[in-house]
Amino acid sequence: MRVNVMRPIFKPEGISNPDFVLYPYHIFHLRLFYKRLGRSDRVFDYFAYVDLYRLGAERGDGFIDLYEWEVEEKKVMEPLVDYEEARMKAFESAITWGNSRVVSWWLPRIEIIREARAYKVFWIFERDGEKLIMDSLDGKEFKLDSLVGKDGRKCKGPFCR
């Protein structure tokens, strides 16, 4: 299947072909239009990265570079959040951020400028006999056993729900 992947920044050193799993996000470029009494209106651009597994939203500095990858379906995590929930989370996050920057009697009008379903790459590899997973955007490494314990219930990492 073909999917959009966020451009990996980090990759495990010394590992020629690490395995990976793709984690689902929906990225929104939003424009907020605020009306103000007695003052000029304000316009802000906001970039929301909505986690489609845990329904969290992060503010971005821009729309990250996306690459199209051809991957096996089993490498792609299924989203647990639908489009409408993701869109509402992005709007909520944008309004909270915008309201901290401008005083207005009204909620902003919001336009979606650009949007895309995209996946973050998590590299899976082995080093010194230990299985590890690495976040391709921040380079953080986690022991695979600490994410999903041997009993199947322990969970401390980015895939926990």
Side-chain angles (χ1 to χ4, degrees), residues 134-146:
M134 174 190 276
D135 184 321
S136 68
L137 296 183
D138 67 13
K140 290 182 182 171
E141 294 181 7
F142 304 90
K143 293 179 183 178
L144 200 53
D145 284 345
S146 73

Side-chain angles (χ1 to χ4, degrees), residues 5 15-16 19 21-22 43 47 50 76-77 86 92 103 106 125 157:
V5 173
I15 311 293
S16 58
D19 200 4
V21 64
L22 300 178
V43 178
F47 299 91
V50 179
V76 179
M77 290 178 66
E92 175 188 303
V103 175
W106 302 275
F125 60 101

Side-chain angles (χ1 to χ4, degrees), residues 75-142:
K75 304 260 186 200
V76 179
M77 290 178 66
E78 279 296 315
L80 299 179
V81 174
D82 68 23
Y83 174 78
E84 275 306 309
E85 288 175 302
R87 187 176 71 79
M88 291 310 295
K89 189 64 165 179
F91 280 29
E92 175 188 303
S93 175
I95 290 168
T96 300
W97 177 84
N99 286 351
S100 71
R101 276 146 185 75
V102 66
V103 175
S104 174
W105 285 94
W106 302 275
L107 285 174
R109 179 172 59 86
I110 301 175
E111 284 182 12
I112 297 174
I113 305 300
R114 182 178 173 197
E115 63 179 305
R117 163 82 56 87
Y119 294 86
K120 182 196 282 191
V121 178
F122 282 90
W123 302 110
I124 301 170
F125 60 101
E126 199 168 311
R127 182 185 302 134
D128 301 326
E130 191 167 45
K131 283 201 168 230
L132 301 167
I133 189 161
M134 174 190 276
D135 184 321
S136 68
L137 296 183
D138 67 13
K140 290 182 182 171
E141 294 181 7
F142 304 90

Side-chain angles (χ1 to χ4, degrees), residues 12-73:
E13 291 182 21
I15 311 293
S16 58
N17 284 324
D19 200 4
F20 61 89
V21 64
L22 300 178
Y23 189 93
Y25 279 85
H26 202 96
I27 305 169
F28 293 90
H29 174 189
L30 305 174
R31 188 155 295 147
L32 289 78
F33 299 87
Y34 281 93
K35 288 191 158 298
R36 300 192 305 165
L37 284 175
R39 304 193 76 190
S40 62
D41 294 348
R42 295 288 306 264
V43 178
F44 296 108
D45 283 312
Y46 185 83
F47 299 91
Y49 291 76
V50 179
D51 182 324
L52 296 181
Y53 199 75
R54 296 180 292 180
L55 190 58
E58 294 180 52
R59 185 177 69 81
D61 295 330
F63 208 94
I64 194 167
D65 294 334
L66 300 177
Y67 294 102
E68 195 171 87
W69 282 13
E70 183 78 34
V71 298
E72 298 174 43
E73 198 169 332

